Amino acid sequence: MKDPIRDASLSAVKIASEIAYDYVSEVRNQRVFPDADALSGLQNFDKPLPQQGTNCQQVLEQLHAYGSPATVATTGGRYFGLVVGGSTPAAMGANIISSAWDQIALMESSSPVANELEKIAGRWVLELLNLSSEAFVSFVTGTTMAHVSALSTARNYLYQKQGYDMAEQGLHRAPELKVVLSEEAHISVLKALRLLGFGRSQFIFVPCDRQGRIIESAVPEFSDNMILVLQAGNVNSGSSDNFNALIPKAKKAGCWVHIDGAFGLWARASREKSALVEGVEAADSWAVDAHKWLNTPYDCGMCIVRHKQALREVMTTSAAYVATQDMWQAKDMLPEFSRRARAVEVWAAIAELGSQGIEDLVERCCLYTQMLAEELESLGFNILNDIVLNQVVACLPDVTLQRAMLQKIQQSGECWFGQTTWQGQEAIRLSVSSWATTEEDIQRTLQAIAVAIDELKQQAI
C-alpha cells in the first residue's frame, strides 16, 4: 500500500543525499570563497512570498544550484579564517542521521538516544580534557552560550555564599560583583557578561604581555565577590594565561574561576601540548567548542561546570508536562528548552577518532602552523606571535602591499584567511584547525601568497 507521507520523506532524503554527495565530492577542488557570479546567483532566492507550494525536488535542486556555489568551503582544507574545523566524516554523517531523527533533546522521555549519547559524550569529553569527572557537560550552541551558562552560575554561586537569594530578590539590590579579565578577553565573554546585566564599571581589565597573556603582577587583590575569567588560547596568538600561578590564589580568596577555552582547551588532549594549559583543571567552569578542534558540524559548544548543583539551580525548568525523576536532565542544565541533539555529532567524532586520533589532529595542526610561520618569514613577513599552538599572526613591512595581497588572495578563492589587529599592528591571521588540512594545502596556500606578492610587486614597477 502506498504511503504518501513516507514516500515524500524518502524522496527528500534520496535527493538531499545525492546533492550532499555531489557537494562533498567537489569541495576540495572548489573555490574556498565564492566568486562574483556565485554571489550574484543568490538573487535567485529573493522572490515574493510564494502563494503555492513547490515540489520538494525543485526546492532542493534550487538550493544546490544557487546555494552550493555561494558557500565558503570550510569543510575543505584551505580555510584558515575563523578558528573552526571542518566536519569529520563520522560527525558529518551523524549530522545527517540526526537530522532524519529530528530528536527533541530535552530529556530522556523526549529522546532516549539523545539523552544517552549526551551522557556518554560528556563523560568522554571530561576524560579527553582531563577535567573533574564530577563536572557536568552541557551541549549548547557555542562558546557564547557556554559563557552565559557558566557566568550566570558563577554569579548565583557567589551571591549564595553572601547569603543573597537572587532567585527571590533579583538584581535590584544585589551585592556588587567584580569581574577580573584580560584586556585581550574575547568578545564572546564581554557579550555574555552584558547579557547577564554586568556593566563596564564592574570589569577590572588586566594588561597583557606581548603574547596576550595576563600580566600576573598587574592582577588586583582577589576577594570573594569576584569572578576571574582566564584564557586558554588567545584568539590571535594562541597563548594561554598562567593558570598555575593565578587559579590557586583566586580560589583561596573565594573567587569563581572561569576559563574561555574555545579552542585552546583542546591542547589538553595532546601530551605534546598539554603543558601549555597546565593547571587549568583547577577552575570552576570552562567554555569550549566542539566545532573547533573536534571538527563537529556547526553549531556545537560545551559549558563544563564543576559545581553541577549550582548550574542546575540556575537553569532548572519546572512544568507539569516535563516532570521527571532524574534531576540531571538536559532541560535543567542549560539555557535552551528547544534544542537539537548536538551530542550525537560529538559522540560520533570521538568514536571515529579516538583519543589518539584527536591527539594526532591537534599536533598535526600545530605542525602545519609552524610550517606556515617559517615559510611566511622566508617570504618577508614578520611573525608577531610565538607559535605555540595553531595560530599565526604575521605582517609585511609594507602595509599597503599587505592589504593588496590579502584582497588578492581572498578574491582568488585558492585559500582564505583574514585580517586582524595585534598589539596595535595591522596583520593577517591564519588558524589551522581542520582535520581535512594536508601538507599540500599548506604548500598551495604559501604558493598563492608568494605569487600574489610577486604579481603586486611587478605591477608596482
mmCIF file with all atom_site columns, all heavy atoms in Angstrom, residues 49 59 77 104 116 125 170 184 201 204 207 233 239 323 334 351 368 371 397 400 408 414 421 423-424 432:
data_model
loop_
_atom_site.group_PDB
_atom_site.id
_atom_site.type_symbol
_atom_site.label_atom_id
_atom_site.label_alt_id
_atom_site.label_comp_id
_atom_site.label_asym_id
_atom_site.label_entity_id
_atom_site.label_seq_id
_atom_site.pdbx_PDB_ins_code
_atom_site.Cartn_x
_atom_site.Cartn_y
_atom_site.Cartn_z
_atom_site.occupancy
_atom_site.B_iso_or_equiv
_atom_site.pdbx_formal_charge
_atom_site.auth_seq_id
_atom_site.auth_comp_id
_atom_site.auth_asym_id
_atom_site.auth_atom_id
_atom_site.pdbx_PDB_model_num
ATOM 1   N N   . LEU A 1 49  ? 6.925  36.226 -1.579 1.00 0.00 ? 49  LEU A N   1
ATOM 2   C CA  . LEU A 1 49  ? 6.422  35.113 -0.779 1.00 0.00 ? 49  LEU A CA  1
ATOM 3   C C   . LEU A 1 49  ? 5.556  34.214 -1.660 1.00 0.00 ? 49  LEU A C   1
ATOM 4   O O   . LEU A 1 49  ? 4.582  34.663 -2.258 1.00 0.00 ? 49  LEU A O   1
ATOM 5   C CB  . LEU A 1 49  ? 5.586  35.648 0.388  1.00 0.00 ? 49  LEU A CB  1
ATOM 6   C CG  . LEU A 1 49  ? 4.837  34.609 1.215  1.00 0.00 ? 49  LEU A CG  1
ATOM 7   C CD1 . LEU A 1 49  ? 5.816  33.742 1.997  1.00 0.00 ? 49  LEU A CD1 1
ATOM 8   C CD2 . LEU A 1 49  ? 3.848  35.296 2.151  1.00 0.00 ? 49  LEU A CD2 1
ATOM 9   N N   . VAL A 1 59  ? 12.777 22.432 -4.905 1.00 0.00 ? 59  VAL A N   1
ATOM 10  C CA  . VAL A 1 59  ? 13.302 23.249 -3.805 1.00 0.00 ? 59  VAL A CA  1
ATOM 11  C C   . VAL A 1 59  ? 14.746 22.867 -3.505 1.00 0.00 ? 59  VAL A C   1
ATOM 12  O O   . VAL A 1 59  ? 15.635 23.727 -3.391 1.00 0.00 ? 59  VAL A O   1
ATOM 13  C CB  . VAL A 1 59  ? 12.423 23.086 -2.549 1.00 0.00 ? 59  VAL A CB  1
ATOM 14  C CG1 . VAL A 1 59  ? 13.089 23.753 -1.343 1.00 0.00 ? 59  VAL A CG1 1
ATOM 15  C CG2 . VAL A 1 59  ? 11.036 23.678 -2.780 1.00 0.00 ? 59  VAL A CG2 1
ATOM 16  N N   . GLY A 1 77  ? 40.216 21.962 2.941  1.00 0.00 ? 77  GLY A N   1
ATOM 17  C CA  . GLY A 1 77  ? 41.428 22.017 3.757  1.00 0.00 ? 77  GLY A CA  1
ATOM 18  C C   . GLY A 1 77  ? 42.154 23.341 3.766  1.00 0.00 ? 77  GLY A C   1
ATOM 19  O O   . GLY A 1 77  ? 43.209 23.463 4.399  1.00 0.00 ? 77  GLY A O   1
ATOM 20  N N   . ILE A 1 104 ? 14.072 15.636 19.929 1.00 0.00 ? 104 ILE A N   1
ATOM 21  C CA  . ILE A 1 104 ? 13.898 16.734 20.880 1.00 0.00 ? 104 ILE A CA  1
ATOM 22  C C   . ILE A 1 104 ? 14.801 16.415 22.066 1.00 0.00 ? 104 ILE A C   1
ATOM 23  O O   . ILE A 1 104 ? 14.445 15.624 22.931 1.00 0.00 ? 104 ILE A O   1
ATOM 24  C CB  . ILE A 1 104 ? 12.430 16.864 21.320 1.00 0.00 ? 104 ILE A CB  1
ATOM 25  C CG1 . ILE A 1 104 ? 11.531 17.043 20.091 1.00 0.00 ? 104 ILE A CG1 1
ATOM 26  C CG2 . ILE A 1 104 ? 12.266 18.025 22.296 1.00 0.00 ? 104 ILE A CG2 1
ATOM 27  C CD1 . ILE A 1 104 ? 10.061 16.833 20.391 1.00 0.00 ? 104 ILE A CD1 1
ATOM 28  N N   . GLU A 1 116 ? 21.097 9.477  26.172 1.00 0.00 ? 116 GLU A N   1
ATOM 29  C CA  . GLU A 1 116 ? 22.188 8.552  26.463 1.00 0.00 ? 116 GLU A CA  1
ATOM 30  C C   . GLU A 1 116 ? 23.497 8.990  25.801 1.00 0.00 ? 116 GLU A C   1
ATOM 31  O O   . GLU A 1 116 ? 24.566 8.962  26.428 1.00 0.00 ? 116 GLU A O   1
ATOM 32  C CB  . GLU A 1 116 ? 21.809 7.146  25.992 1.00 0.00 ? 116 GLU A CB  1
ATOM 33  C CG  . GLU A 1 116 ? 22.831 6.070  26.349 1.00 0.00 ? 116 GLU A CG  1
ATOM 34  C CD  . GLU A 1 116 ? 22.981 5.847  27.846 1.00 0.00 ? 116 GLU A CD  1
ATOM 35  O OE1 . GLU A 1 116 ? 22.096 6.282  28.617 1.00 0.00 ? 116 GLU A OE1 1
ATOM 36  O OE2 . GLU A 1 116 ? 23.982 5.231  28.250 1.00 0.00 ? 116 GLU A OE2 1
ATOM 37  N N   . VAL A 1 125 ? 34.349 13.654 26.890 1.00 0.00 ? 125 VAL A N   1
ATOM 38  C CA  . VAL A 1 125 ? 34.970 14.985 26.809 1.00 0.00 ? 125 VAL A CA  1
ATOM 39  C C   . VAL A 1 125 ? 35.764 15.273 28.083 1.00 0.00 ? 125 VAL A C   1
ATOM 40  O O   . VAL A 1 125 ? 36.898 15.781 28.029 1.00 0.00 ? 125 VAL A O   1
ATOM 41  C CB  . VAL A 1 125 ? 33.893 16.065 26.577 1.00 0.00 ? 125 VAL A CB  1
ATOM 42  C CG1 . VAL A 1 125 ? 34.454 17.464 26.844 1.00 0.00 ? 125 VAL A CG1 1
ATOM 43  C CG2 . VAL A 1 125 ? 33.367 15.979 25.143 1.00 0.00 ? 125 VAL A CG2 1
ATOM 44  N N   . GLY A 1 170 ? 16.132 39.158 42.854 1.00 0.00 ? 170 GLY A N   1
ATOM 45  C CA  . GLY A 1 170 ? 16.582 39.730 41.598 1.00 0.00 ? 170 GLY A CA  1
ATOM 46  C C   . GLY A 1 170 ? 17.858 40.538 41.745 1.00 0.00 ? 170 GLY A C   1
ATOM 47  O O   . GLY A 1 170 ? 18.575 40.457 42.742 1.00 0.00 ? 170 GLY A O   1
ATOM 48  N N   . GLU A 1 184 ? 42.713 41.307 26.691 1.00 0.00 ? 184 GLU A N   1
ATOM 49  C CA  . GLU A 1 184 ? 42.573 40.550 25.448 1.00 0.00 ? 184 GLU A CA  1
ATOM 50  C C   . GLU A 1 184 ? 41.380 39.597 25.504 1.00 0.00 ? 184 GLU A C   1
ATOM 51  O O   . GLU A 1 184 ? 41.281 38.674 24.699 1.00 0.00 ? 184 GLU A O   1
ATOM 52  C CB  . GLU A 1 184 ? 43.855 39.754 25.176 1.00 0.00 ? 184 GLU A CB  1
ATOM 53  C CG  . GLU A 1 184 ? 45.045 40.592 24.783 1.00 0.00 ? 184 GLU A CG  1
ATOM 54  C CD  . GLU A 1 184 ? 44.977 41.072 23.350 1.00 0.00 ? 184 GLU A CD  1
ATOM 55  O OE1 . GLU A 1 184 ? 44.247 40.462 22.545 1.00 0.00 ? 184 GLU A OE1 1
ATOM 56  O OE2 . GLU A 1 184 ? 45.656 42.070 23.033 1.00 0.00 ? 184 GLU A OE2 1
ATOM 57  N N   . SER A 1 201 ? 31.483 49.227 34.657 1.00 0.00 ? 201 SER A N   1
ATOM 58  C CA  . SER A 1 201 ? 32.078 49.633 35.931 1.00 0.00 ? 201 SER A CA  1
ATOM 59  C C   . SER A 1 201 ? 32.422 48.434 36.806 1.00 0.00 ? 201 SER A C   1
ATOM 60  O O   . SER A 1 201 ? 33.178 48.564 37.784 1.00 0.00 ? 201 SER A O   1
ATOM 61  C CB  . SER A 1 201 ? 31.120 50.559 36.689 1.00 0.00 ? 201 SER A CB  1
ATOM 62  O OG  . SER A 1 201 ? 29.946 49.867 37.073 1.00 0.00 ? 201 SER A OG  1
ATOM 63  N N   . ILE A 1 204 ? 37.258 44.673 35.748 1.00 0.00 ? 204 ILE A N   1
ATOM 64  C CA  . ILE A 1 204 ? 38.633 45.063 36.039 1.00 0.00 ? 204 ILE A CA  1
ATOM 65  C C   . ILE A 1 204 ? 39.506 44.418 34.965 1.00 0.00 ? 204 ILE A C   1
ATOM 66  O O   . ILE A 1 204 ? 39.752 43.209 34.982 1.00 0.00 ? 204 ILE A O   1
ATOM 67  C CB  . ILE A 1 204 ? 39.076 44.595 37.442 1.00 0.00 ? 204 ILE A CB  1
ATOM 68  C CG1 . ILE A 1 204 ? 38.176 45.187 38.516 1.00 0.00 ? 204 ILE A CG1 1
ATOM 69  C CG2 . ILE A 1 204 ? 40.529 44.992 37.692 1.00 0.00 ? 204 ILE A CG2 1
ATOM 70  C CD1 . ILE A 1 204 ? 38.461 44.658 39.912 1.00 0.00 ? 204 ILE A CD1 1
ATOM 71  N N   . PRO A 1 207 ? 46.157 44.266 32.147 1.00 0.00 ? 207 PRO A N   1
ATOM 72  C CA  . PRO A 1 207 ? 47.006 44.340 30.952 1.00 0.00 ? 207 PRO A CA  1
ATOM 73  C C   . PRO A 1 207 ? 47.687 43.007 30.658 1.00 0.00 ? 207 PRO A C   1
ATOM 74  O O   . PRO A 1 207 ? 47.838 42.151 31.533 1.00 0.00 ? 207 PRO A O   1
ATOM 75  C CB  . PRO A 1 207 ? 48.021 45.428 31.299 1.00 0.00 ? 207 PRO A CB  1
ATOM 76  C CG  . PRO A 1 207 ? 47.995 45.532 32.785 1.00 0.00 ? 207 PRO A CG  1
ATOM 77  C CD  . PRO A 1 207 ? 46.607 45.174 33.212 1.00 0.00 ? 207 PRO A CD  1
ATOM 78  N N   . GLY A 1 233 ? 44.174 29.816 25.176 1.00 0.00 ? 233 GLY A N   1
ATOM 79  C CA  . GLY A 1 233 ? 44.242 30.024 23.733 1.00 0.00 ? 233 GLY A CA  1
ATOM 80  C C   . GLY A 1 233 ? 43.753 31.397 23.329 1.00 0.00 ? 233 GLY A C   1
ATOM 81  O O   . GLY A 1 233 ? 42.577 31.575 22.996 1.00 0.00 ? 233 GLY A O   1
ATOM 82  N N   . SER A 1 239 ? 48.315 31.793 22.760 1.00 0.00 ? 239 SER A N   1
ATOM 83  C CA  . SER A 1 239 ? 48.922 31.618 24.078 1.00 0.00 ? 239 SER A CA  1
ATOM 84  C C   . SER A 1 239 ? 47.867 31.578 25.182 1.00 0.00 ? 239 SER A C   1
ATOM 85  O O   . SER A 1 239 ? 46.751 32.064 25.008 1.00 0.00 ? 239 SER A O   1
ATOM 86  C CB  . SER A 1 239 ? 49.908 32.759 24.357 1.00 0.00 ? 239 SER A CB  1
ATOM 87  O OG  . SER A 1 239 ? 51.052 32.653 23.530 1.00 0.00 ? 239 SER A OG  1
ATOM 88  N N   . ALA A 1 323 ? 7.720  16.900 33.804 1.00 0.00 ? 323 ALA A N   1
ATOM 89  C CA  . ALA A 1 323 ? 8.183  16.380 35.097 1.00 0.00 ? 323 ALA A CA  1
ATOM 90  C C   . ALA A 1 323 ? 9.004  15.115 34.877 1.00 0.00 ? 323 ALA A C   1
ATOM 91  O O   . ALA A 1 323 ? 8.731  14.316 33.983 1.00 0.00 ? 323 ALA A O   1
ATOM 92  C CB  . ALA A 1 323 ? 6.996  16.090 35.996 1.00 0.00 ? 323 ALA A CB  1
ATOM 93  N N   . LEU A 1 334 ? 20.947 23.793 31.139 1.00 0.00 ? 334 LEU A N   1
ATOM 94  C CA  . LEU A 1 334 ? 21.404 24.755 30.137 1.00 0.00 ? 334 LEU A CA  1
ATOM 95  C C   . LEU A 1 334 ? 20.258 25.694 29.768 1.00 0.00 ? 334 LEU A C   1
ATOM 96  O O   . LEU A 1 334 ? 19.116 25.465 30.137 1.00 0.00 ? 334 LEU A O   1
ATOM 97  C CB  . LEU A 1 334 ? 21.944 24.036 28.892 1.00 0.00 ? 334 LEU A CB  1
ATOM 98  C CG  . LEU A 1 334 ? 21.224 22.805 28.350 1.00 0.00 ? 334 LEU A CG  1
ATOM 99  C CD1 . LEU A 1 334 ? 19.889 23.154 27.767 1.00 0.00 ? 334 LEU A CD1 1
ATOM 100 C CD2 . LEU A 1 334 ? 22.089 22.102 27.332 1.00 0.00 ? 334 LEU A CD2 1
ATOM 101 N N   . ALA A 1 351 ? 34.130 8.865  18.746 1.00 0.00 ? 351 ALA A N   1
ATOM 102 C CA  . ALA A 1 351 ? 34.152 7.431  18.435 1.00 0.00 ? 351 ALA A CA  1
ATOM 103 C C   . ALA A 1 351 ? 34.999 7.160  17.198 1.00 0.00 ? 351 ALA A C   1
ATOM 104 O O   . ALA A 1 351 ? 35.724 6.160  17.132 1.00 0.00 ? 351 ALA A O   1
ATOM 105 C CB  . ALA A 1 351 ? 32.729 6.919  18.228 1.00 0.00 ? 351 ALA A CB  1
ATOM 106 N N   . TYR A 1 368 ? 51.598 22.067 11.110 1.00 0.00 ? 368 TYR A N   1
ATOM 107 C CA  . TYR A 1 368 ? 51.339 22.838 9.897  1.00 0.00 ? 368 TYR A CA  1
ATOM 108 C C   . TYR A 1 368 ? 51.424 24.340 10.178 1.00 0.00 ? 368 TYR A C   1
ATOM 109 O O   . TYR A 1 368 ? 51.847 25.131 9.325  1.00 0.00 ? 368 TYR A O   1
ATOM 110 C CB  . TYR A 1 368 ? 49.956 22.498 9.335  1.00 0.00 ? 368 TYR A CB  1
ATOM 111 C CG  . TYR A 1 368 ? 49.846 21.110 8.749  1.00 0.00 ? 368 TYR A CG  1
ATOM 112 C CD1 . TYR A 1 368 ? 48.607 20.473 8.655  1.00 0.00 ? 368 TYR A CD1 1
ATOM 113 C CD2 . TYR A 1 368 ? 50.966 20.432 8.285  1.00 0.00 ? 368 TYR A CD2 1
ATOM 114 C CE1 . TYR A 1 368 ? 48.489 19.201 8.113  1.00 0.00 ? 368 TYR A CE1 1
ATOM 115 C CE2 . TYR A 1 368 ? 50.857 19.165 7.741  1.00 0.00 ? 368 TYR A CE2 1
ATOM 116 C CZ  . TYR A 1 368 ? 49.615 18.543 7.663  1.00 0.00 ? 368 TYR A CZ  1
ATOM 117 O OH  . TYR A 1 368 ? 49.505 17.289 7.126  1.00 0.00 ? 368 TYR A OH  1
ATOM 118 N N   . MET A 1 371 ? 54.962 25.303 10.097 1.00 0.00 ? 371 MET A N   1
ATOM 119 C CA  . MET A 1 371 ? 55.412 25.350 8.704  1.00 0.00 ? 371 MET A CA  1
ATOM 120 C C   . MET A 1 371 ? 54.979 26.655 8.046  1.00 0.00 ? 371 MET A C   1
ATOM 121 O O   . MET A 1 371 ? 55.769 27.304 7.343  1.00 0.00 ? 371 MET A O   1
ATOM 122 C CB  . MET A 1 371 ? 54.840 24.157 7.925  1.00 0.00 ? 371 MET A CB  1
ATOM 123 C CG  . MET A 1 371 ? 55.406 22.825 8.329  1.00 0.00 ? 371 MET A CG  1
ATOM 124 S SD  . MET A 1 371 ? 54.513 21.421 7.566  1.00 0.00 ? 371 MET A SD  1
ATOM 125 C CE  . MET A 1 371 ? 54.695 21.804 5.830  1.00 0.00 ? 371 MET A CE  1
ATOM 126 N N   . PRO A 1 397 ? 56.294 44.363 6.041  1.00 0.00 ? 397 PRO A N   1
ATOM 127 C CA  . PRO A 1 397 ? 56.755 45.715 6.368  1.00 0.00 ? 397 PRO A CA  1
ATOM 128 C C   . PRO A 1 397 ? 55.967 46.803 5.651  1.00 0.00 ? 397 PRO A C   1
ATOM 129 O O   . PRO A 1 397 ? 55.779 47.907 6.168  1.00 0.00 ? 397 PRO A O   1
ATOM 130 C CB  . PRO A 1 397 ? 58.224 45.698 5.907  1.00 0.00 ? 397 PRO A CB  1
ATOM 131 C CG  . PRO A 1 397 ? 58.610 44.258 5.937  1.00 0.00 ? 397 PRO A CG  1
ATOM 132 C CD  . PRO A 1 397 ? 57.379 43.503 5.557  1.00 0.00 ? 397 PRO A CD  1
ATOM 133 N N   . THR A 1 400 ? 50.535 48.579 2.790  1.00 0.00 ? 400 THR A N   1
ATOM 134 C CA  . THR A 1 400 ? 49.748 48.715 1.554  1.00 0.00 ? 400 THR A CA  1
ATOM 135 C C   . THR A 1 400 ? 49.847 47.440 0.725  1.00 0.00 ? 400 THR A C   1
ATOM 136 O O   . THR A 1 400 ? 48.845 46.945 0.182  1.00 0.00 ? 400 THR A O   1
ATOM 137 C CB  . THR A 1 400 ? 50.232 49.920 0.730  1.00 0.00 ? 400 THR A CB  1
ATOM 138 O OG1 . THR A 1 400 ? 50.136 51.107 1.534  1.00 0.00 ? 400 THR A OG1 1
ATOM 139 C CG2 . THR A 1 400 ? 49.410 50.100 -0.525 1.00 0.00 ? 400 THR A CG2 1
ATOM 140 N N   . LYS A 1 408 ? 43.794 40.144 -2.838 1.00 0.00 ? 408 LYS A N   1
ATOM 141 C CA  . LYS A 1 408 ? 44.049 39.290 -3.999 1.00 0.00 ? 408 LYS A CA  1
ATOM 142 C C   . LYS A 1 408 ? 43.859 37.812 -3.637 1.00 0.00 ? 408 LYS A C   1
ATOM 143 O O   . LYS A 1 408 ? 43.270 37.051 -4.409 1.00 0.00 ? 408 LYS A O   1
ATOM 144 C CB  . LYS A 1 408 ? 45.482 39.539 -4.500 1.00 0.00 ? 408 LYS A CB  1
ATOM 145 C CG  . LYS A 1 408 ? 45.777 39.018 -5.892 1.00 0.00 ? 408 LYS A CG  1
ATOM 146 C CD  . LYS A 1 408 ? 47.164 39.461 -6.323 1.00 0.00 ? 408 LYS A CD  1
ATOM 147 C CE  . LYS A 1 408 ? 47.459 39.061 -7.760 1.00 0.00 ? 408 LYS A CE  1
ATOM 148 N NZ  . LYS A 1 408 ? 46.637 39.816 -8.729 1.00 0.00 ? 408 LYS A NZ  1
ATOM 149 N N   . GLU A 1 414 ? 41.687 30.521 -3.798 1.00 0.00 ? 414 GLU A N   1
ATOM 150 C CA  . GLU A 1 414 ? 42.628 29.424 -3.559 1.00 0.00 ? 414 GLU A CA  1
ATOM 151 C C   . GLU A 1 414 ? 42.670 29.040 -2.082 1.00 0.00 ? 414 GLU A C   1
ATOM 152 O O   . GLU A 1 414 ? 42.807 27.871 -1.732 1.00 0.00 ? 414 GLU A O   1
ATOM 153 C CB  . GLU A 1 414 ? 44.024 29.838 -4.056 1.00 0.00 ? 414 GLU A CB  1
ATOM 154 C CG  . GLU A 1 414 ? 45.119 28.808 -3.838 1.00 0.00 ? 414 GLU A CG  1
ATOM 155 C CD  . GLU A 1 414 ? 44.960 27.544 -4.674 1.00 0.00 ? 414 GLU A CD  1
ATOM 156 O OE1 . GLU A 1 414 ? 43.958 27.420 -5.422 1.00 0.00 ? 414 GLU A OE1 1
ATOM 157 O OE2 . GLU A 1 414 ? 45.825 26.664 -4.562 1.00 0.00 ? 414 GLU A OE2 1
ATOM 158 N N   . THR A 1 421 ? 44.076 42.911 14.055 1.00 0.00 ? 421 THR A N   1
ATOM 159 C CA  . THR A 1 421 ? 44.961 43.917 14.637 1.00 0.00 ? 421 THR A CA  1
ATOM 160 C C   . THR A 1 421 ? 45.551 43.319 15.900 1.00 0.00 ? 421 THR A C   1
ATOM 161 O O   . THR A 1 421 ? 44.815 42.873 16.786 1.00 0.00 ? 421 THR A O   1
ATOM 162 C CB  . THR A 1 421 ? 44.203 45.211 14.981 1.00 0.00 ? 421 THR A CB  1
ATOM 163 O OG1 . THR A 1 421 ? 43.632 45.749 13.777 1.00 0.00 ? 421 THR A OG1 1
ATOM 164 C CG2 . THR A 1 421 ? 45.139 46.247 15.589 1.00 0.00 ? 421 THR A CG2 1
ATOM 165 N N   . GLN A 1 423 ? 48.413 43.864 18.945 1.00 0.00 ? 423 GLN A N   1
ATOM 166 C CA  . GLN A 1 423 ? 49.321 44.774 19.633 1.00 0.00 ? 423 GLN A CA  1
ATOM 167 C C   . GLN A 1 423 ? 49.428 46.096 18.873 1.00 0.00 ? 423 GLN A C   1
ATOM 168 O O   . GLN A 1 423 ? 50.515 46.665 18.714 1.00 0.00 ? 423 GLN A O   1
ATOM 169 C CB  . GLN A 1 423 ? 50.708 44.131 19.779 1.00 0.00 ? 423 GLN A CB  1
ATOM 170 C CG  . GLN A 1 423 ? 50.709 42.775 20.471 1.00 0.00 ? 423 GLN A CG  1
ATOM 171 C CD  . GLN A 1 423 ? 50.446 42.862 21.974 1.00 0.00 ? 423 GLN A CD  1
ATOM 172 O OE1 . GLN A 1 423 ? 50.601 43.914 22.563 1.00 0.00 ? 423 GLN A OE1 1
ATOM 173 N NE2 . GLN A 1 423 ? 50.024 41.766 22.566 1.00 0.00 ? 423 GLN A NE2 1
ATOM 174 N N   . GLY A 1 424 ? 48.279 46.555 18.363 1.00 0.00 ? 424 GLY A N   1
ATOM 175 C CA  . GLY A 1 424 ? 48.217 47.827 17.657 1.00 0.00 ? 424 GLY A CA  1
ATOM 176 C C   . GLY A 1 424 ? 48.710 47.781 16.225 1.00 0.00 ? 424 GLY A C   1
ATOM 177 O O   . GLY A 1 424 ? 48.784 48.825 15.556 1.00 0.00 ? 424 GLY A O   1
ATOM 178 N N   . VAL A 1 432 ? 44.840 27.118 11.920 1.00 0.00 ? 432 VAL A N   1
ATOM 179 C CA  . VAL A 1 432 ? 44.821 25.772 11.347 1.00 0.00 ? 432 VAL A CA  1
ATOM 180 C C   . VAL A 1 432 ? 44.095 24.854 12.318 1.00 0.00 ? 432 VAL A C   1
ATOM 181 O O   . VAL A 1 432 ? 44.617 24.527 13.382 1.00 0.00 ? 432 VAL A O   1
ATOM 182 C CB  . VAL A 1 432 ? 46.249 25.264 11.079 1.00 0.00 ? 432 VAL A CB  1
ATOM 183 C CG1 . VAL A 1 432 ? 46.199 23.933 10.314 1.00 0.00 ? 432 VAL A CG1 1
ATOM 184 C CG2 . VAL A 1 432 ? 47.057 26.292 10.303 1.00 0.00 ? 432 VAL A CG2 1
#
